[in-house]
Amino acid sequence: MAKLLFRDGQGREGAVDLTGEPVYIGRAVECVVRTDDAMVSRRHSVVTLEQGRFWIEDLGSSNGTHVNDLVVKKQVLNHNDVIRCGSLFLRYIEEEMPAEPPARPEAKPQPKARPPAPAQVAPVDGVGDPGYQGALDTVLPKAAHEKQMKELAAELQEARAEVSRMRAVLKDLQKVLIRALKED
């Protein structure tokens, strides 16, 4: 069994068991992993099961889906991969690791799958689930997450300042055009 552990920009944490059903990530109500981060699209990405492996696919989001700090359109997931959508961080966990990973997963025959159960979301607080206690901090410590949030906030502040400068330039240009039209 595989699962996704996640932490959003507000520090909320959770876990989703991957059962084979598509798991949508985004701001929309129907998304299993939801956030209110404006940097995340309504339907940002989806995790699906294909050929016995879980894949993440970007659904045309504005800010992209990152796996281990690389922007991806569609990517097979491996144990401990870190996925980022805006300020939302997810960690892919495989509970049962094969002794040797197959060279070509498509070449191995797949066992008959049971009908998938709906994805279940549970809070991750370490209580009753000691195997995952602090699992997100192993890959992305809260300090690193806070640093990332501060960097994103600084970028946003710079963008807002640039918009203000552009507005001032446009107002000046508008005044010049109005004067030029009055003179004609």
Side-chain angles (χ1 to χ4, degrees):
M1 179 187 279
K3 67 172 49 181
L4 288 174
L5 306 178
F6 60 91
R7 178 183 295 146
D8 68 9
Q10 290 76 35
R12 294 181 295 231
E13 297 180 350
V16 175
D17 291 327
L18 299 176
T19 62
E21 290 293 312
V23 173
Y24 288 92
I25 300 165
R27 292 189 343 256
V29 174
E30 68 271 10
C31 292
V32 175
V33 179
R34 284 189 299 270
T35 182
D36 55 5
D37 179 6
M39 300 292 285
V40 177
S41 299
R42 285 181 186 87
R43 291 182 98 194
H44 195 98
S45 54
V46 63
V47 175
T48 56
L49 180 64
E50 296 177 25
Q51 301 172 350
R53 302 285 306 267
F54 284 100
W55 293 72
I56 186 152
E57 181 177 2
D58 185 83
L59 298 175
S61 67
S62 300
N63 296 307
T65 298
H66 302 123
V67 176
N68 300 325
D69 291 326
L70 298 173
V71 178
V72 300
K73 291 293 179 195
K74 188 170 183 177
Q75 172 76 36
V76 68
L77 293 172
N78 295 301
H79 183 63
N80 283 331
D81 277 350
V82 176
I83 304 157
R84 181 174 64 83
C85 303
S87 65
L88 178 65
F89 284 85
L90 303 99
R91 181 176 177 204
Y92 173 75
I93 302 292
E94 290 178 350
E95 291 180 332
E96 295 177 16
M97 296 293 296
E100 292 183 36
R104 296 184 63 179
E106 302 82 27
K108 282 195 158 189
Q110 298 298 319
K112 289 192 174 187
R114 295 179 290 183
Q120 299 295 316
V121 178
V124 174
D125 59 7
V127 177
D129 198 9
Y132 295 101
Q133 190 170 10
L136 281 169
D137 286 331
T138 303
V139 173
L140 184 71
K142 285 187 180 180
H145 187 72
E146 290 170 4
K147 179 182 175 195
Q148 177 80 20
M149 290 303 298
K150 287 179 183 177
E151 289 171 359
L152 288 172
E155 289 177 22
L156 180 61
Q157 186 70 20
E158 288 175 23
R160 286 180 176 160
E162 182 65 23
V163 167
S164 293
R165 285 190 293 273
M166 298 291 277
R167 284 184 180 151
V169 168
L170 286 173
K171 282 185 180 181
D172 291 343
L173 183 58
Q174 182 182 22
K175 288 176 187 176
V176 168
L177 287 172
I178 289 172
R179 272 192 234 128
L181 288 172
K182 285 182 180 179
E183 291 175 4
D184 287 341

